[in-house]
Amino acid sequence: MSSTDTLFSDALFSAALAAQARAHAPYSRFRVGAALRDEAGAVHAGCNVENAAYPVGTCAEAGAIAAMVAAGGRRIAAILVLGDGEALVTPCGACRQRIREFAAPHTPIHVAGPQGVRRTFTLDELLPASFGPDNLA
Ligand code: THU
């Protein structure tokens, strides 16, 4: 990563860490935070919000995207997902498609743990040959 990229991912890391601490995850006890930078440079964060009716729960990425859209942002320049544990907390399949709606193939998806970014993927690496808005144009 370049130093500019590192600065941006630091801002995303702090925002995701703060959001993770506010997650509502009483059922899985697996707290996730996500933060993204939009086309104007604004940062939007979200956390997972579970529900007693399990399938109704939402992922951290969905929260961050909803916050971006509600604030007027329309493009994801970069996104960071943060969770605990040994395994990389990569976005779930549905969230890859949610990110796809607002991102480009080369958009970075940073995967972080409590100590910082562990790996960075592009959207195209996590969701190759994807279906998107262009298919409906
Ligand atoms: N979770 C996320 O918030 N994002 C992901 O991409 C992976 C999974 C949440 C959903 C659920 O609340 C908990 O993690 C366990 O699956």
Side-chain angles (χ1 to χ4, degrees):
M1 280 196 289
S2 75
S3 58
T4 316
D5 288 343
T6 307
L7 270 181
F8 278 135
S9 65
D10 281 355
L12 294 182
F13 177 77
S14 340
L17 195 63
Q20 186 203 24
R22 299 186 194 111
H24 177 70
Y27 308 109
S28 73
R29 307 213 170 269
F30 190 75
R31 294 166 174 269
V32 183
L36 64 85
R37 182 163 48 83
D38 70 17
E39 72 275 23
V43 171
H44 309 278
C47 56
N48 53 334
V49 182
E50 297 182 349
N51 192 286
Y54 293 173
V56 180
T58 51
C59 284
E61 298 89 325
I65 290 169
M68 175 189 80
V69 172
R74 284 296 178 268
R75 298 296 297 166
I76 298 174
I79 182 164
L80 183 148
V81 183
L82 186 154
D84 299 328
E86 256 181 56
L88 285 177
V89 181
T90 46
C92 77
C95 284
R96 293 175 195 204
Q97 187 68 35
R98 289 190 175 101
I99 295 166
R100 165 68 178 89
E101 184 72 12
F102 302 101
H106 59 268
T107 300
I109 299 177
H110 304 294
V111 177
Q115 312 300 326
V117 173
R118 300 176 63 189
R119 268 192 74 175
T120 297
F121 300 90
T122 63
L123 171 63
D124 197 47
E125 285 177 301
L126 295 185
L127 193 69
S130 63
F131 182 91
D134 294 350
N135 289 93
L136 303 180

